[in-house]
């Protein structure tokens, strides 16, 4: 195993997104996954049926004991649910800033449309987490909520990314999966320039957990010492094949094939 990845996020009982997807992605890319669970969800491929927040002192304790004993080569955050949880997580990971790559996936809404971040928590996300982000990975609806912009095309992605950089993130991967067209373009923007990651759109409902998986795969690459663009390229290729080979489970937005890198024992 190469790379200790601390994931601070919510649990998905259906296994397709959240902590479960994160652990699978990190493991499939030969990293070591550690977790601090922020919320429990009763969730399947059709939606989120219930959410139970983890007490904040226990979230803090999970982060502290992992970092004190095991350490971390990268941190990834996902579902944080409330402003209070965001504040607590920011307090705990702030000492790592500048020493350990931090990937912030600003999870706001589930694939089925259920809110996973309180309406009033967006300001806390901007104020507390964006300045800690070595990479921010918003999709179009998330970027619109964070910036107030309407994003309709690549120019809109570029404008949103520039605004998010100005708000404190050190790099932004502006994902384009919600935009129309036969191709999907994710735009990586840093102060040094832009890099495009374009692929054919796969016509499938089995894309549950794509954002969680991509962010964790990138964090794994960064924790293993890959340069940012290379970590994003590898993660994008991993997720693309995971979508193409999805197992087709469930009656809604099905999970990816996270284990396509794993070969069976003879």
């Amino acid at each position: 195993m190469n790379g200790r990845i601390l994931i601070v996020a919510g649990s998905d009982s259906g296994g397709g997104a959240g902590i479960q997807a994160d652990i699978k992605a990190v493991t499939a890319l030969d990293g070591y996954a550690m977790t601090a669970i922020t919320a429990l969800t009763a969730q399947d491929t059709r939606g989120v049926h219930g959410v139970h927040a983890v007490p904040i002192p226990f979230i803090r304790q999970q982060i502290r004991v992992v970092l004190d004993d095991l350490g971390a080569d990268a941190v990834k955050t996902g579902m944080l649910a409330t402003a209070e949880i965001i504040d607590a997580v920011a307090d705990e990971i702030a000492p790592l800033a500048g020493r350990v790559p931090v990937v912030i996936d600003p999870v706001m809404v589930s694939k089925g449309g259920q809110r996973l971040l309180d309406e009033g928590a967006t300001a806390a996300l901007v104020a507390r987490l964006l300045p800690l982000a070595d990479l921010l990975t918003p999709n179009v609806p998330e970027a619109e909520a964070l910036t107030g912009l309407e994003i309709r095309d690549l120019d809109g992605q570029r404008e949103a990314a520039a605004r998010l950089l100005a708000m404190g993130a050190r790099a932004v991967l502006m994902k384009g999966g919600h935009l129309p067209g036969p191709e999907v373009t994710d735009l990586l923007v840093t102060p040094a320039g832009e890099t495009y990651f374009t692929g054919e759109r796969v016509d499938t409902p089995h894309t549950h957990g794509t954002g969680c998986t991509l962010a964790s795969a990138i964090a794994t690459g960064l924790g293993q010492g890959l340069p940012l663009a290379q970590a994003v390229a590898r993660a994008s290729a991993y997720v693309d094949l995971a979508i193409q080979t999805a197992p087709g489970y469930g009656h809604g937005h099905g999970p990816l094939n996270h284990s396509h890198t794993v070969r069976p024992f003879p």
Side-chain angles (χ1 to χ4, degrees), residues 131-172:
L132 301 177
D134 291 288
L135 178 66
L136 184 74
T137 63
N139 59 30
V140 166
E142 290 161 351
E144 289 180 334
L146 290 170
T147 64
L149 297 172
E150 185 175 6
I151 303 169
R152 294 184 175 180
D153 51 25
L154 184 59
D155 285 339
Q157 289 177 269
R158 185 177 292 112
E159 184 180 0
R163 185 166 297 188
L164 291 166
L165 286 179
M167 292 163 68
R170 281 175 282 283
V172 177

Side-chain angles (χ1 to χ4, degrees), residues 3-260:
R4 301 159 297 171
I5 315 302
L6 173 59
I7 304 143
V8 185
S11 167
D12 172 3
S13 59
I19 286 286
Q20 287 81 353
D22 298 322
I23 293 172
K24 293 172 189 177
V26 172
T27 303
L29 293 172
D30 202 31
Y32 180 71
M34 307 167 293
T35 65
I37 298 176
T38 59
L40 308 177
T41 69
Q43 189 172 173
D44 56 21
T45 65
R46 292 169 292 194
V48 179
H49 305 282
V51 177
H52 179 70
V54 173
I56 288 175
F58 190 65
I59 296 173
R60 290 182 181 270
Q61 185 180 26
Q62 291 176 83
I63 297 171
R64 287 176 183 174
V65 298
V66 166
L67 292 177
D68 287 347
D69 180 40
L70 294 154
D73 298 303
V75 175
K76 179 255 181 173
T77 70
M79 176 187 176
L80 300 180
T82 69
E84 292 76 16
I85 292 175
I86 289 171
D87 282 336
V89 171
D91 288 344
E92 298 301 327
I93 67 174
L96 301 176
R99 298 190 295 113
V100 172
V102 176
V103 177
I104 304 294
D105 185 17
V107 175
M108 295 182 174
V109 180
S110 74
K111 187 70 68 177
Q114 293 85 1
R115 284 201 65 87
L116 299 176
L117 182 71
D118 285 354
E119 293 276 1
T122 302
L125 195 158
V126 170
R128 298 300 314 277
L129 285 183
L130 258 64
L132 301 177
D134 291 288
L135 178 66
L136 184 74
T137 63
N139 59 30
V140 166
E142 290 161 351
E144 289 180 334
L146 290 170
T147 64
L149 297 172
E150 185 175 6
I151 303 169
R152 294 184 175 180
D153 51 25
L154 184 59
D155 285 339
Q157 289 177 269
R158 185 177 292 112
E159 184 180 0
R163 185 166 297 188
L164 291 166
L165 286 179
M167 292 163 68
R170 281 175 282 283
V172 177
L173 181 65
M174 187 60 244
K175 297 179 294 189
H178 286 78
L179 297 176
E183 293 184 330
V184 175
T185 297
D186 294 342
L187 176 64
L188 175 63
V189 181
T190 73
E194 301 176 351
T195 307
Y196 300 88
F197 301 88
T198 299
E200 284 189 31
R201 186 181 300 276
V202 181
D203 185 15
T204 176
H206 302 297
T207 56
H208 182 51
T210 304
C212 304
T213 301
L214 179 64
S216 286
I218 295 169
T220 305
L222 294 176
Q224 292 169 339
L226 295 180
L228 178 57
Q230 188 176 341
V232 173
R234 187 184 74 165
S236 297
Y238 167 75
V239 170
D240 186 56
L241 189 53
I243 293 172
Q244 292 180 40
T245 60
Y249 295 155
H251 298 86
H253 297 286
L256 313 182
N257 174 18
H258 291 92
S259 61
H260 66 76

